[in-house]
Amino acid sequence: MSVVDLGGKVVVVTGGARGLGAAIARAVVDGGGRVLITDVLEAEGAETAAKLGEAARFVRHDVTSEADWQAALDHAVAEFGCIDGLVNNAGISTGQFLEHESVEHFRRVVEINLVGVFIGIKAAIPLLRAGGGGSIVNISSAAGLTGLALTAGYGASKWAVRGLSKIGAVELAEARIRVNSVHPGMTLTPMTAPVGIQAGEGNYPGTPMGRVGVPAEIAAAVAFLLSDAAGYITGAELAVDGGWTAGLTVKYLTGQ
């Protein structure tokens, strides 16, 4: 996996204790940047930061809390002097039909997956503006590009993250703050492992590429959007899904 140049950049990654978030934090450090990892998983978050060395820090952070957001960003500035990027990765998944999804659980998913992203963007704007701009990458999902059964609150929140990203891109462009969304397909992480997927060729025939993704592949796309190489990209939605969302359309049209 090629390394994207993130030299000198400070990036905050939510949900960074494990899985995709940890891979994104690794990509930032490998690219020469520094990273503040945030998560509610304290032991795992601290361990991940320790493995990444002096370029990484960890702070406990509930993304639904405005106070926690302010404390996390204050910590990043205290440790590293500024922030140049934010990756809104924290989220939870669901697997219920609409008729079985409780209102309470639906609201909880939306609170974490959508409201948490909104609070983060809002809190980061003054710091990014003061630094002359920056990059916000919001992790949506393939479920934010097409209608998938059994996603209920998860799918609805990921569609909303996609829209919120575009609104942010339009409103913040003059401040040189870029906002993009990344849409992973089925990727082998601790969140998806319970459904029984496996890494390797031929293990996910529902995707045109015939396999699930691995966190490093998603992280590479995120690192690119954080970098100066993506300086003219904002409001984009980048599917990193092995052709899954493209394949859904093809299969529908061909009847296969």
Side-chain angles (χ1 to χ4, degrees), residues 12 36 59 67-83 123 127:
V12 176
L36 175 68
V59 65
D68 272 20
W69 264 109
Q70 193 58 57
L73 295 179
D74 286 347
H75 189 74
V77 172
E79 291 291 316
F80 299 128
C82 66
I83 69 164
L127 292 174

Side-chain angles (χ1 to χ4, degrees), residues 243-255:
W244 186 17
T245 50
L248 287 172
T249 303
V250 170
K251 290 182 180 183
Y252 173 75
L253 292 175
T254 62

Side-chain angles (χ1 to χ4, degrees), residues 20 29-30 37 76 125 134-135 155 157 159 214 252:
L20 177 55
V29 173
D30 286 349
I37 296 167
I125 288 171
S135 174
S157 66
W159 273 86
V214 296
Y252 173 75

Side-chain angles (χ1 to χ4, degrees), residues 18-253:
R18 62 182 187 175
L20 177 55
I24 294 169
R26 166 67 68 182
V28 171
V29 173
D30 286 349
R34 293 172 290 173
V35 64
L36 175 68
I37 296 167
T38 86
D39 210 306
V40 293
L41 302 175
E42 295 187 57
E44 290 174 271
E47 181 181 1
T48 297
K51 288 179 179 177
L52 293 177
E54 284 301 309
R57 302 287 190 276
F58 170 75
V59 65
R60 189 189 186 283
H61 175 205
D62 174 357
V63 295
T64 68
S65 165
E66 290 184 75
D68 272 20
W69 264 109
Q70 193 58 57
L73 295 179
D74 286 347
H75 189 74
V77 172
E79 291 291 316
F80 299 128
C82 66
I83 69 164
D84 303 288
L86 168 63
V87 181
N88 281 305
N89 169 73
I92 59 175
S93 183
T94 60
Q96 291 284 340
F97 284 111
L98 283 168
E99 63 181 313
H100 302 308
E101 179 83 340
S102 71
V103 173
E104 179 183 15
H105 191 252
F106 185 91
R107 283 178 173 155
R108 179 61 177 162
V109 173
V110 170
E111 186 76 12
I112 294 171
N113 291 7
L114 174 59
V115 179
V117 172
F118 164 72
I119 299 171
I121 294 172
K122 184 177 174 64
I125 288 171
L127 292 174
L128 294 174
R129 193 188 298 276
S135 174
I136 297 173
V137 181
N138 298 321
I139 306 301
S140 178
S141 168
L145 294 172
T146 188
L148 295 179
L150 296 172
T151 62
Y154 177 79
S157 66
K158 294 303 187 178
W159 273 86
V161 166
R162 176 187 178 192
L164 183 63
S165 299
K166 291 186 181 299
I167 293 166
V170 171
E171 292 187 355
L172 299 173
E174 289 188 4
R176 301 296 184 265
I177 299 172
R178 298 180 294 105
V179 187
N180 295 288
S181 58
V182 170
H183 299 256
M186 187 61 77
T187 305
L188 185 57
T189 67
M191 187 173 74
T192 60
V195 305
I197 61 174
Q198 295 180 333
E201 297 296 330
N203 285 324
Y204 201 65
T207 295
M209 288 187 71
R211 65 174 178 85
V212 301
V214 296
E217 292 172 314
I218 317 300
V222 173
F224 166 69
L225 290 173
L226 289 169
S227 77
D228 293 341
Y232 198 54
I233 300 176
T234 193
E237 49 194 48
L238 179 56
V240 191
D241 64 358
W244 186 17
T245 50
L248 287 172
T249 303
V250 170
K251 290 182 180 183
Y252 173 75
L253 292 175

